[in-house]
Amino acid sequence: MFAFPDPKAESLTGEPPGVWAQVLPHLEESAGTSWLTVARPDGRPHTRPVLVVWVDGQPCFASGQESAKSRLMADSPQVSLAFGAGRMDVVVEGSVETVRDPERLGRVARAYAERHGWKPVPGDGELTGPAGAPTAGPPPYGVFALVMSTVFAFPSGDLPHGPTRWRFDVWP
């Protein structure tokens, strides 16, 4: 996976835009509930809570393999993820990819244990474990990474930047 080291930042107001390298650590430390939206076949939105961990600079989440959100993402991988991260509200848009690499699954499992207290066990291309995952349905769990195309941040507190859009699908 190749991530932009410095995605194109655009101010949504007259204030200076945020700097991705300064915002990413705040996103990686956020541990609240996020809201995942994926389209149903008829175009209606399907929005559900997910617990997200940031691993390798990407938001990742687990979902029961038979859950509605997993089935919908298999048909339409374009999603959005919305959450509060400290002093800003964030919307991440892009497409999901399934994480199967054992080393990366291990990093996701460790991140869940550290940030959410859930201790999944990495298995053969999935997460399992004795305790069920909050918001993810019954095991086994597929792990999804969101390949970001656009990230919006809306400051809700005192920050040195205004509302910002970062584009990951164009060179800065």
Side-chain angles (χ1 to χ4, degrees):
M1 197 261 347
F2 176 76
F4 281 50
D6 188 18
K8 182 178 182 183
E10 301 170 293
S11 173
L12 300 177
T13 64
E15 299 172 81
V19 175
W20 184 250
Q22 295 171 354
V23 171
L24 181 60
H26 296 289
L27 302 180
E28 292 174 334
E29 294 170 4
S30 65
T33 299
S34 299
W35 294 91
L36 174 75
T37 300
V38 61
R40 291 181 172 104
D42 63 5
R44 292 179 301 129
H46 176 85
T47 303
R48 296 295 183 268
V50 293
L51 291 179
V52 171
V53 292
W54 286 71
V55 175
D56 303 330
Q58 283 184 290
C60 299
F61 58 93
S63 179
Q65 294 179 355
E66 297 302 317
S67 70
K69 61 184 168 270
S70 290
R71 291 190 314 269
L72 290 170
M73 288 185 297
D75 291 336
S76 178
Q78 297 297 315
V79 302
S80 71
L81 193 63
F83 55 95
R87 297 178 294 164
M88 69 185 91
D89 295 319
V90 179
V91 177
V92 180
E93 297 175 343
S95 59
V96 292
E97 63 181 14
T98 303
V99 176
R100 297 195 192 284
D101 173 67
E103 290 181 21
R104 192 161 184 212
L105 283 172
R107 291 192 299 276
V108 169
R110 286 188 298 279
Y112 268 117
E114 292 169 8
R115 294 187 187 101
H116 296 290
W118 176 50
K119 298 176 182 168
V121 177
D124 186 23
E126 61 194 17
L127 297 178
T128 61
T135 75
Y141 305 105
V143 174
F144 299 91
L146 202 154
V147 178
M148 300 175 286
S149 60
T150 308
V151 176
F152 296 90
F154 303 94
S156 57
D158 185 31
L159 289 173
H161 65 84
T164 303
R165 171 180 41 224
W166 289 275
R167 297 280 312 269
F168 290 80
D169 55 353
V170 296
W171 287 102

